Amino acid sequence: MRISQTFIAALTFALAAGLCVIAAGFAVQAVEDASEISVRRALDLSGHDWAEVQADGLRVVLTGTASDEATRFNALTVVGNEVEASRVIDEMEIIPTANLRAPRFSAEILRNDSGISIIGLVPATMDREGLIDQLRGIPDHGGVTDLLETADYAEPEGWSDAIDYAATALSVLPRSKISVGPDLVSVTAIADSAENKTNIEKTLTRVAPNGLRIRLEISAPRPVITPFTLRFLIDEDGARFDACSADGAGARDQIAAAARRAGVAIEQACVIGLGVPSPKWGAAAELSIDAVTALGRGSVTMSDADITLIAAEGTDQGQFDRVIGELQADLPAVFALHAVLPQPVEDDPSGPVEFTATLSPEGQVQLRGRLADENMRHMVDSYAKAAFGSDVVHTATRIVPDLPAQWPVRVLAGLETLSLLRNGVLTVTPDSVALQGVSYLEDASAQAARLLAEKLGEAQGFDLSITYEEPPEPADKPLDPEVCEGRVAEIQSEAKITFEPGSATIAGDSLDTMNRIADVLDQCGGIRMEIQGYTDSQGREEMNLQLSQARAQSVLNELRARRVLTSSFTAVGYGENDPIADNKSEAGREANRRIKFHLIRPDPIPETQTGLEAVEQQPEPETEADAESGQDD
């Protein structure tokens, strides 16, 4: 009986254990099914139908092949929102990425007084050491800092030309920043002057390789003006400036407003420069111009902090005293006013006390009038010969004692200003230095006013009447590039370049047109030009493209045969692209079969502040690769 009870108890326990195992199995299966269903649903809803799910106990095993790492990671994130991340077993793979897109290669080169720095990502196949050696070969380079990184991809088309052009540009730009890409080089630099800026732009445009886009931003710094000068006068011809300097836009506007009140008909833009003696220059100039306006006639000359106001002879003494008194009270403390009211001069029975110098258009100089002694005559004669040439000066002066003490300074200063003119007359009297004539210099009046204000000193009057005349063009000066392009287009509008049917041979009746085009291009110098070939849409597109290329090259070869400078020319065929007429008619097809001479210009960029610091803060222009990357994101 006891054995039976023990057996029954053991059997009951075994049955209970078996039932528990069976129940646990069903529970695990239920958990697996629930996990697999929920994960599969979440993946399908998220677009990851490529992923396979298998539940193994509490584990969830993910398999499948993702298109990229981002897609695989996103699938893991979706699954992690359904089950605990610790239960997820990632066995997913990624499609092999043997054909990864090459990175965007670029380089930034900065040159200043401290040296040259170059940073960026360049192809590993590039001759990096050769580039660094080339930069070290630039005179006064100040050292080269190499911060380049490399990537093992092939060089993109145009990269070598872009790097070589950047190194060439850097050799002529001591203060510059150059951004290099395979299809675009942006140059930002500071020139010493406006003339230097023009020369640099011409040089960089001329040496640019064919097919390379360039952007040039060459800034000319503000000039240093010494002495800082303004001269304003009102006479029988009306109100005008002989010279006008300002330290900023605000001062310029103040001066312009005062000039308008005085009746200046044509607004003159003051030269904005460095060297102002006081930040209140604009206010002092405005007060001084208003004072001359109140007197009605006269002149005011500002040379640094010295202000000389000379009223017209015959000005009422009371009015003069009132205007000058108000001006003295209102001027900023740093400025010193010297006011002069000329008195009538009695006639000298021995003749006028004056010295004259005449410069003829042929360059001949005649010196006449009074000088104090023989030493002074020798000094004036030597100075004139040094300024104008020893073989063109004729001296016919007379020695007269008791001339004013400042006479030698006035005569020599007058001769120096006369040298600014192409032709003119200088007259020196005890009260004034008068200069009138014609100059090839646009700022001759300003230069003369600045020089006389500095040499003559305070309370000294002078009168300028200088007319600007454009200098004649040099006989060998190249034509303007836009003029060249226009003249070639005009020739082609009269007689187009034609070819033998179906070939790249220029037709005989077009050789005269080629001769005329060559004559024009001979006068253009080293401009960058693309000779473009086009066809109609008849025939296969590939054949048309080849034919247009051959015809463009044929035109280039004809120009070379005529000794035209074509080192900066390139020939490109565009086939049937860009039609200018309907290809459905014979007349339209004839119009589309053409050769076009296209001038390659630097890409325009907006003006920025002068100085590399301001330029470096500007965002770089977005490239096509950048735009595509942004769209992918």
Side-chain angles (χ1 to χ4, degrees):
M1 193 62 152
R2 289 179 180 174
I3 295 175
S4 177
Q5 291 176 347
T6 302
F7 176 77
I8 292 172
L11 181 60
T12 302
F13 181 80
L15 290 173
L19 290 173
C20 289
V21 170
I22 293 172
F26 279 111
V28 169
Q29 183 65 42
V31 171
E32 288 180 351
D33 291 344
S35 298
E36 188 170 327
I37 291 171
S38 65
V39 170
R40 164 52 54 202
R41 182 185 299 111
L43 288 172
D44 288 344
L45 291 174
S46 300
H48 298 298
D49 53 359
W50 53 268
E52 300 293 334
V53 183
Q54 182 180 0
D56 182 9
L58 296 179
R59 300 188 310 165
V60 176
V61 181
L62 300 179
T63 58
T65 304
S67 59
D68 52 43
E69 178 61 28
T71 304
R72 184 194 70 84
F73 183 78
N74 185 260
L76 279 175
T77 303
V78 170
V79 175
N81 292 330
E82 299 297 322
V83 298
E84 293 183 11
S86 59
R87 295 171 53 193
V88 179
I89 306 301
D90 177 17
E91 295 183 358
M92 294 181 291
E93 297 179 350
I94 301 174
I95 296 175
T97 54
N99 296 323
L100 280 176
R101 185 175 65 179
R104 177 179 178 269
F105 291 114
S106 63
E108 299 284 337
I109 312 177
L110 178 67
R111 183 183 180 190
N112 53 32
D113 295 337
S114 301
I116 299 174
S117 300
I118 179 169
I119 187 172
L121 180 66
V122 300
T125 56
M126 188 188 82
D127 185 6
R128 177 175 174 178
E129 292 300 324
L131 172 62
I132 301 303
D133 289 342
Q134 187 176 359
L135 297 181
R136 287 177 177 149
I138 296 175
D140 302 322
H141 61 78
V144 178
T145 303
D146 178 7
L147 301 174
L148 291 173
E149 298 288 343
T150 60
D152 193 10
Y153 290 88
E155 292 186 13
E157 184 179 357
W159 176 259
S160 179
D161 285 343
I163 284 290
D164 289 342
Y165 175 74
T168 301
L170 206 70
S171 66
V172 298
L173 299 170
R175 296 175 297 280
S176 57
K177 174 190 173 186
I178 302 180
S179 302
V180 185
D183 60 348
L184 174 65
V185 176
S186 298
V187 179
T188 305
I190 298 178
D192 294 330
S193 63
E195 182 180 2
N196 182 230
K197 170 186 174 181
T198 301
N199 292 335
I200 289 175
E201 289 174 338
K202 289 181 178 179
T203 299
L204 295 183
T205 300
R206 185 173 62 252
V207 301
N210 293 324
L212 177 65
R213 292 167 53 221
I214 61 173
R215 287 182 176 175
L216 305 179
E217 183 184 18
I218 314 298
S219 302
R222 291 183 180 182
V224 177
I225 302 173
T226 177
F228 219 75
T229 308
L230 180 143
R231 177 170 167 82
F232 177 81
L233 67 157
I234 302 176
D235 56 16
E236 60 274 5
D237 297 325
R240 67 180 186 277
F241 286 99
D242 281 337
C244 185
S245 305
D247 60 321
R252 180 189 59 196
D253 293 343
Q254 283 182 283
I255 294 170
R260 285 193 294 269
R261 291 193 294 271
V264 174
I266 301 177
E267 187 166 320
Q268 174 177 335
C270 296
V271 177
I272 297 180
L274 306 176
V276 67
S278 167
K280 296 184 178 181
W281 171 270
E286 182 178 20
L287 291 169
S288 301
I289 293 172
D290 285 342
V292 176
T293 304
L295 292 174
R297 296 276 292 273
S299 67
V300 62
T301 303
M302 300 178 63
S303 178
D304 286 339
D306 290 320
I307 301 176
T308 299
L309 190 152
I310 302 178
E313 185 177 326
T315 300
D316 179 72
Q317 183 70 54
Q319 182 189 21
F320 177 79
D321 292 341
R322 177 181 58 80
V323 171
I324 298 304
E326 292 175 352
L327 178 59
Q328 286 177 326
D330 295 338
L331 279 174
V334 69
F335 292 94
L337 175 64
H338 311 280
V340 178
L341 178 59
Q343 300 300 319
V345 179
E346 297 181 1
D347 293 337
D348 188 341
S350 61
V353 179
E354 67 178 22
F355 169 87
T356 61
T358 304
L359 172 62
S360 71
E362 296 76 26
Q364 299 295 318
V365 178
Q366 300 281 341
L367 305 180
R368 294 184 175 84
R370 302 188 181 191
L371 297 175
D373 53 40
E374 191 62 38
N375 288 335
M376 183 178 176
R377 177 156 61 183
H378 177 71
M379 178 175 61
V380 169
D381 182 72
S382 299
Y383 185 90
K385 289 179 178 179
F388 302 100
S390 58
D391 56 342
V392 299
V393 176
H394 175 70
T395 303
T397 55
R398 51 185 293 212
I399 305 300
V400 177
D402 300 328
L403 291 173
Q406 292 295 315
W407 196 257
V409 174
R410 299 166 73 82
V411 169
L412 294 176
L415 288 174
E416 188 172 353
T417 57
L418 183 64
S419 66
L420 300 173
L421 306 186
R422 174 179 176 266
N423 62 277
V425 178
L426 165 71
T427 303
V428 180
T429 66
D431 298 320
S432 178
V433 174
L435 182 69
Q436 60 181 2
V438 176
S439 177
Y440 287 156
L441 302 174
E442 285 190 83
D443 63 341
S445 290
Q447 288 192 45
R450 192 174 300 121
L451 191 151
L452 291 175
E454 181 181 19
K455 300 289 186 181
L456 301 183
E458 60 189 44
Q460 298 296 318
F462 54 89
D463 182 39
L464 303 176
S465 179
I466 300 174
T467 302
Y468 168 69
E469 183 177 290
E470 287 193 14
E473 296 287 355
D476 58 348
K477 180 184 177 181
L479 293 176
D480 186 79
E482 281 74 13
V483 173
C484 289
E485 185 182 39
R487 289 190 181 179
V488 171
E490 183 179 351
I491 292 172
Q492 289 189 278
S493 68
E494 298 172 357
K496 67 181 292 186
I497 301 173
T498 59
F499 298 85
E500 298 294 339
S503 77
T505 303
I506 297 177
D509 57 1
S510 291
L511 295 180
D512 182 59
T513 301
M514 288 298 309
N515 291 335
R516 294 173 61 194
I517 292 175
D519 290 341
V520 170
L521 295 178
D522 263 336
Q523 306 173 51
C524 297
I527 62 174
R528 299 178 69 202
M529 185 162 280
E530 183 178 84
I531 302 174
Q532 302 175 341
Y534 295 91
T535 67
D536 57 32
S537 62
Q538 299 291 96
R540 291 192 300 126
E541 182 177 354
E542 183 178 355
M543 292 295 295
N544 286 335
L545 187 64
Q546 294 175 356
L547 179 60
S548 66
Q549 177 65 48
R551 287 180 170 178
Q553 186 63 47
S554 179
V555 171
L556 180 58
N557 293 340
E558 287 291 332
L559 292 176
R560 288 171 176 165
R562 289 163 172 76
R563 304 295 181 90
V564 176
L565 181 63
T566 60
S567 59
S568 56
F569 286 23
T570 186
V572 180
Y574 291 94
E576 59 193 59
N577 294 323
D578 195 22
I580 59 175
D582 190 351
N583 276 304
K584 295 180 180 179
S585 67
E586 178 55 37
R589 291 191 292 271
E590 174 61 27
N592 289 331
R593 296 191 291 266
R594 67 194 189 279
I595 292 291
K596 179 180 178 182
F597 289 78
H598 173 68
L599 180 65
I600 301 175
R601 301 169 176 85
D603 286 3
I605 54 179
E607 293 188 5
T608 59
Q609 300 177 15
T610 299
L612 291 180
E613 296 80 7
V615 170
E616 291 169 359
Q617 297 174 2
Q618 296 180 9
E620 294 184 9
E622 185 181 61
T623 64
E624 294 179 0
D626 293 335
E628 294 173 2
S629 175
Q631 292 173 357
D632 293 340
D633 294 340

